[in-house]
CSV table of all heavy atoms in Angstrom, one decimal:
chain,number,residue,atom,x,y,z
A,270,CYS,N,151.3,103.5,99.2
A,270,CYS,CA,151.6,104.2,97.9
A,270,CYS,C,151.5,103.1,96.8
A,270,CYS,O,152.0,102.0,96.9
A,270,CYS,CB,153.0,104.8,97.9
A,270,CYS,SG,153.4,105.6,96.4
A,271,ASN,N,150.8,103.5,95.7
A,271,ASN,CA,150.5,102.6,94.6
A,271,ASN,C,151.7,102.3,93.8
A,271,ASN,O,151.7,101.4,93.0
A,271,ASN,CB,149.4,103.3,93.7
A,271,ASN,CG,148.3,102.4,93.5
A,271,ASN,OD1,148.1,101.4,94.2
A,271,ASN,ND2,147.4,102.7,92.6
A,272,ARG,N,152.7,103.1,93.9
A,272,ARG,CA,153.9,102.8,93.1
A,272,ARG,C,154.7,101.7,93.8
A,272,ARG,O,155.1,101.8,95.0
A,272,ARG,CB,154.8,104.1,93.1
A,272,ARG,CG,155.9,104.1,92.2
A,272,ARG,CD,156.7,105.4,92.3
A,272,ARG,NE,158.1,105.1,92.2
A,272,ARG,CZ,158.8,105.0,91.1
A,272,ARG,NH1,158.1,105.2,89.9
A,272,ARG,NH2,160.0,104.8,91.0
A,274,ALA,N,157.5,100.3,93.5
A,274,ALA,CA,158.9,100.5,94.0
A,274,ALA,C,158.9,101.3,95.3
A,274,ALA,O,160.0,101.4,95.9
A,274,ALA,CB,159.7,101.2,92.9
A,275,CYS,N,157.8,102.0,95.6
A,275,CYS,CA,157.8,102.8,96.8
A,275,CYS,C,157.2,102.1,98.0
A,275,CYS,O,157.9,101.8,98.9
A,275,CYS,CB,157.1,104.1,96.5
A,275,CYS,SG,156.9,105.2,97.9
A,276,GLY,N,155.9,102.0,98.0
A,276,GLY,CA,155.3,101.2,99.1
A,276,GLY,C,155.2,101.9,100.4
A,276,GLY,O,154.9,101.3,101.4
A,277,LEU,N,155.4,103.2,100.4
A,277,LEU,CA,155.3,103.9,101.7
A,277,LEU,C,153.9,104.1,102.1
A,277,LEU,O,153.0,104.3,101.3
A,277,LEU,CB,156.0,105.3,101.6
A,277,LEU,CG,157.5,105.4,101.5
A,277,LEU,CD1,158.0,106.8,101.3
A,277,LEU,CD2,158.2,104.7,102.6
A,279,PHE,N,150.9,106.3,103.7
A,279,PHE,CA,150.6,107.8,103.7
A,279,PHE,C,149.2,108.0,104.1
A,279,PHE,O,148.3,107.1,104.1
A,279,PHE,CB,150.9,108.5,102.4
A,279,PHE,CG,149.9,108.1,101.2
A,279,PHE,CD1,148.9,109.0,100.9
A,279,PHE,CD2,150.1,106.9,100.6
A,279,PHE,CE1,148.0,108.6,99.8
A,279,PHE,CE2,149.2,106.6,99.5
A,279,PHE,CZ,148.2,107.4,99.2
A,289,ARG,N,146.4,108.2,95.3
A,289,ARG,CA,147.0,106.8,95.1
A,289,ARG,C,148.4,106.7,95.4
A,289,ARG,O,149.0,105.7,95.5
A,289,ARG,CB,146.7,106.3,93.7
A,289,ARG,CG,145.2,106.1,93.4
A,289,ARG,CD,144.9,106.1,92.0
A,289,ARG,NE,145.6,105.1,91.2
A,289,ARG,CZ,145.8,105.1,89.9
A,289,ARG,NH1,145.3,106.2,89.2
A,289,ARG,NH2,146.4,104.2,89.3
A,290,TRP,N,149.1,107.9,95.4
A,290,TRP,CA,150.5,107.9,95.7
A,290,TRP,C,150.9,108.7,96.9
A,290,TRP,O,150.1,109.6,97.3
A,290,TRP,CB,151.2,108.6,94.5
A,290,TRP,CG,151.0,107.8,93.2
A,290,TRP,CD1,151.5,106.6,92.9
A,290,TRP,CD2,150.1,108.2,92.1
A,290,TRP,NE1,151.1,106.2,91.6
A,290,TRP,CE2,150.2,107.1,91.1
A,290,TRP,CE3,149.3,109.3,91.9
A,290,TRP,CZ2,149.5,107.2,90.0
A,290,TRP,CZ3,148.6,109.3,90.7
A,290,TRP,CH2,148.7,108.2,89.7
A,291,HIS,N,152.0,108.4,97.6
A,291,HIS,CA,152.2,109.0,98.9
A,291,HIS,C,152.5,110.5,98.7
A,291,HIS,O,152.3,111.2,99.7
A,291,HIS,CB,153.4,108.2,99.6
A,291,HIS,CG,154.8,108.8,99.3
A,291,HIS,ND1,155.5,108.3,98.3
A,291,HIS,CD2,155.5,109.7,100.0
A,291,HIS,CE1,156.7,109.0,98.3
A,291,HIS,NE2,156.7,109.8,99.3
A,292,ASP,N,152.8,110.9,97.6
A,292,ASP,CA,152.9,112.3,97.3
A,292,ASP,C,152.9,112.4,95.8
A,292,ASP,O,153.6,111.6,95.1
A,292,ASP,CB,154.3,112.8,97.8
A,292,ASP,CG,154.3,114.3,98.0
A,292,ASP,OD1,153.4,115.0,97.4
A,292,ASP,OD2,155.1,114.8,98.8
A,295,PRO,N,157.2,112.9,94.5
A,295,PRO,CA,157.7,112.3,93.3
A,295,PRO,C,156.8,111.1,92.7
A,295,PRO,O,156.9,110.9,91.6
A,295,PRO,CB,159.0,111.7,93.7
A,295,PRO,CG,158.8,111.4,95.2
A,295,PRO,CD,157.8,112.4,95.7
A,296,CYS,N,156.0,110.4,93.5
A,296,CYS,CA,155.6,109.1,93.1
A,296,CYS,C,154.6,109.1,91.9
A,296,CYS,O,154.7,108.4,91.0
A,296,CYS,CB,155.1,108.3,94.2
A,296,CYS,SG,156.4,107.5,95.1
A,297,GLY,N,153.5,110.0,92.0
A,297,GLY,CA,152.5,110.1,91.0
A,297,GLY,C,153.2,110.5,89.6
A,297,GLY,O,152.9,109.9,88.6
B,283,ZN,ZN1,155.4,106.7,97.0
Side-chain angles (χ1 to χ4, degrees):
C270 182
N271 234 11
R272 191 180 141 85
C275 173
L277 291 178
F279 71 102
R289 290 159 61 200
W290 299 288
H291 91 271
D292 198 340
C296 281

